[in-house]
Amino acid sequence: MVLKVFFPSCCSSADSGILIGRWISEQNSAVILAVVHFPFIPVQVKQYLGEVQRVTKVSVSVLGSWSNNKQEKEESLSEFLEDLGTIFCHEPWIQISKEGDSKFWSCSTLQKHSKNPQEEEIILVYYDQRKVMLSHLHPALDTADQRAEDASKLSAIFDTVARSQVLFMTDRYDEGPIKLTHWQSDGVEASIIVELLKQASVPACMLLTFLLSLVSGICRSRVLKFWPLSFVWSKLSTCEQLGHRLQHLQIISSNKKAQNQNQLMRKANIFVSLLIDMALGILLMSWLYRKNRIGHLADTLIPVADHVAEELQDLLQWLMGAPAGLKMNRALDQVLGRFFLYHIHLWISYIHLLSPFIEMILWYVGLSACLGLTVALCILSDIIALLTFHIYCFYVYGARLYCLKIYGLSSLWRLFRGKKWNVLRQRVDSCSYDLDQLFIGTLLFTILLFLLPTTALYYLVFTLLRLLVVVVQGFIHLLVDLIDSLPLYSLILRLCRSYRLAAGVKFRVLEQQDGKPLRLLMQINPLSYRSVVQTYRLPTYSCYPRDSWASLCKKLFLGELIYPWKHKGDKQN
C-alpha cells in the first residue's frame, strides 16, 4: 500500500520535533501542517491541539517525528523520537529524518499496535504552504467521474490547510510553551496600509449605507411610479445604468459577511469595476473641460445636424422622383415624401430652437462623467437617440404602413382561397363568401398590391437608416456591458498571483536515490483567463435579444419593430 505524506517546504530547515497535521484515512495520506520543536510537554501539546480542533473543526493530531540532524546522528535523540509514538498513539507513526544538507531524506513508518505490520511504500510530496492556504480550488468544468474524484481528493488537502489558519497565527516571537515552524513562523504576514484601510472602511461604509438608503427611498417613492416618470426611467439607458450601479453600491456597503469565496470575489470584482469606471470617467471629464473642448463640440453639433437634415431631404427628393429607374405610384410617392419633408422641417426648427442652450446642456452633461465612464457612454447613447428621433419616427411610420399592407394582403389572400383566421381558436378555418365580398376583396387586394412597391421602398430605406443608428447604439452598450460584467479583480489576481485561482495541481518528480522515498513537488495549475471570465462574470442590466438571422429577417419582412436591446420587462412589438 502507498502512503502519501504532504510535507510543507517551509519546514525543511526546521529544528527537530514532532509533526502535527491531519490524517486522511480514505486516501491513506498525511497532511503535515507544522513542526513542534523541542523542548515541549506532551500534555500541553495535546491541550493546544484540542483548542485548535475546537476552533477549526479539523482533526489535527501528532502524526510522527521530524529529525533534522545537522551534526552527526545522535542515537539518544532517535530513540526518544521513537518513544514519542507510545505517548501520542497514532498509527502509523511517521518518522522523517534529514541528514545534514542532504536532499534525500529518510522516511519510515512504525505500527507498534498492529498485529500484522505491513511495509508501506512512501511518497513524499512537497507543497508550498502559503500558496495552498491562500488559493481557492475551483471544480473542473467537465463532469468526468475520474476528474471529479481527483478534484475531491485535492479539495480535502486544500481545505485542511485553509481551515487551519488559526494554527499559523503564532510565530517564533510569541511567548508560549509551544514553538512551531510553519509558513508564518518568522512573522505574521500583514500590511499597515491594509489595516488602516480596514479601520477607515467602517465609518465610510456606514456613511455610504445611509446615503444609499436615502437614494433608494427616493427611487422607491410613489412619485416615480406615475406614467411620465416611469416611462422615462424605463426607456433611458442612463437611468437603467444608474440603477444598476446603485445596486452595486448596496452590495459593497452591505454589512453582511461573505458566506463563501464566490461572494467575496463578486464583491471585490464589483469594487474594482466601480473604481476603474470612475477613474476612466474622471479622465474623460478632465479631457472634456480642457481647452474648451465642450464649446467646440457644441459649435460642431448644429452644423452636423443641419448636414444630416440636408442629406435626408436630398434622399427624399430622390425617392419622390424615379429612384434607380423604378416606376413608383406617383400620388402615394408625393404624399409620403411631403409628409416626411415636413417632419424634417419640424426637426430643423427644433434643433435651432435648442441651439442657444446646447453648450450649457453639454457642460452639465459632462459633469456626469464623474459617476463613471459607463454613465457617460449611456448618456451618449441617449443623446444619439434624441438627435436621431426623426429617423426613428420615419422608420416607425414606414414599418407600420408596410406591416399594415402585408397583413392586409395575407388576409385578402385567404379570402380568395375560402379561408379566414379564427381569432378564438388561433387557426385558419374554411369560410364561404358571397359575390360582393369577393368583388370588394379583389379590388382591395389589387390596390394594396400595386401600392406595395412604393411603401416597401420607403420602408427599406428608413430601415437601413434605423439599423445604422441601432448598430452605433449597440456598440456603445456592448462597451458598457463589457465594463460592467468584466471581472477585473479576478483577472488582475490571475495575472499577478495566479496561484490564488487554482484549477488543479501538477506533480514534478525530483531527483531520486535508491533506498529513499519517491519525492514529488506539488505545483498549482492556475485557471485559464477564459475560465476566470466565465466563473466570475458579473451580471448586466440589459438583456440583448438573441434572435437568429432567420428570426431577424422574418421581422424585417413582416415590418415588425426592432430595437438595439431589450430592458427587463420590455416586450418586442
Side-chain angles (χ1 to χ4, degrees), residues 224-511:
L224 297 178
K225 295 181 180 179
F226 290 113
W227 176 75
L229 294 178
S230 63
F231 179 79
V232 171
W233 183 271
S234 63
K235 294 303 177 183
L236 291 180
S237 58
T238 304
C239 299
E240 293 285 346
Q241 178 63 20
L242 289 175
H244 186 61
R245 284 307 190 191
L246 181 62
Q247 294 178 359
H248 282 176
L249 289 174
Q250 290 176 345
I251 293 174
I252 294 175
S253 60
S254 175
N255 55 3
K256 294 182 180 180
K257 188 178 180 180
Q259 300 296 327
N260 49 41
Q261 181 72 14
N262 290 333
Q263 293 184 3
L264 183 63
M265 293 292 289
R266 183 168 182 252
K267 280 190 173 184
N269 285 322
I270 291 175
F271 181 72
V272 174
S273 177
L274 280 172
L275 283 183
I276 294 180
D277 187 20
M278 294 182 65
L280 293 176
I282 292 174
L283 287 176
L284 176 64
M285 184 176 66
S286 63
W287 181 82
L288 285 175
Y289 287 96
R290 193 179 302 164
K291 298 181 180 179
N292 196 24
R293 288 189 174 92
I294 290 184
H296 297 319
L297 183 62
D299 296 338
T300 309
L301 195 60
I302 299 300
V304 169
D306 290 338
H307 179 71
V308 172
E310 291 176 1
E311 293 294 332
L312 285 176
Q313 287 178 342
D314 295 340
L315 178 63
L316 288 173
Q317 292 293 342
W318 178 71
L319 290 176
M320 291 172 65
L326 298 176
K327 182 66 176 177
M328 312 294 291
N329 185 283
R330 184 167 182 79
L332 180 61
D333 193 11
Q334 293 294 322
V335 170
L336 292 177
R338 291 174 182 175
F339 176 76
F340 291 129
L341 284 174
Y342 178 70
H343 273 71
I344 293 177
H345 175 70
L346 291 179
W347 178 252
I348 294 176
S349 302
Y350 167 69
I351 291 296
H352 285 281
L353 184 64
L354 291 178
S355 58
F357 310 100
I358 286 181
E359 184 175 357
M360 182 180 64
I361 293 173
L362 292 179
W363 194 88
Y364 285 108
V365 166
L367 292 177
S368 63
C370 64
L371 299 176
L373 180 63
T374 54
V375 176
L377 290 175
C378 288
I379 292 177
L380 176 62
S381 176
D382 292 334
I383 290 176
I384 292 176
L386 292 175
L387 292 179
T388 59
F389 184 70
H390 55 307
I391 295 178
Y392 177 73
C393 291
F394 296 164
Y395 164 71
V396 171
Y397 297 152
R400 291 306 185 193
L401 188 59
Y402 175 77
C403 181
L404 178 64
K405 291 190 176 182
I406 288 294
Y407 281 103
L409 287 172
S410 63
S411 179
L412 293 173
W413 177 250
R414 286 194 293 267
L415 182 142
F416 290 154
R417 296 183 298 146
K419 306 286 185 180
K420 73 171 185 178
W421 175 254
N422 193 331
V423 180
L424 296 178
R425 297 186 177 182
Q426 294 294 310
R427 68 181 187 184
V428 178
D429 295 334
S430 299
C431 182
S432 59
Y433 298 97
D434 55 18
L435 186 61
D436 293 338
Q437 290 175 332
L438 292 175
F439 177 72
I440 294 176
T442 304
L443 290 178
L444 292 177
F445 182 83
T446 306
I447 293 173
L448 292 178
L449 183 62
F450 283 103
L451 292 180
L452 182 62
T454 304
T455 307
L457 182 61
Y458 276 87
Y459 168 68
L460 177 63
V461 171
F462 293 135
T463 299
L464 293 177
L465 292 176
R466 174 61 182 167
L467 285 176
L468 180 62
V469 178
V470 165
V471 167
V472 175
Q473 286 185 287
F475 179 73
I476 293 175
H477 281 270
L478 281 177
L479 291 178
V480 172
D481 278 1
L482 181 64
I483 299 174
D484 283 343
S485 63
L486 202 61
L488 297 174
Y489 175 77
S490 300
L491 292 175
I492 295 172
L493 202 63
R494 170 62 180 84
L495 180 63
C496 300
R497 296 186 176 182
S498 58
Y499 61 87
R500 295 287 297 272
L501 305 174
V505 298
K506 60 182 178 181
F507 297 94
R508 184 166 63 89
V509 180
L510 302 178
E511 297 179 11

Side-chain angles (χ1 to χ4, degrees), residues 539-552:
T540 56
Y541 77 92
S542 59
C543 305
Y544 287 90
R546 302 187 180 275
D547 296 333
S548 60
W549 284 104
S551 177
L552 183 59

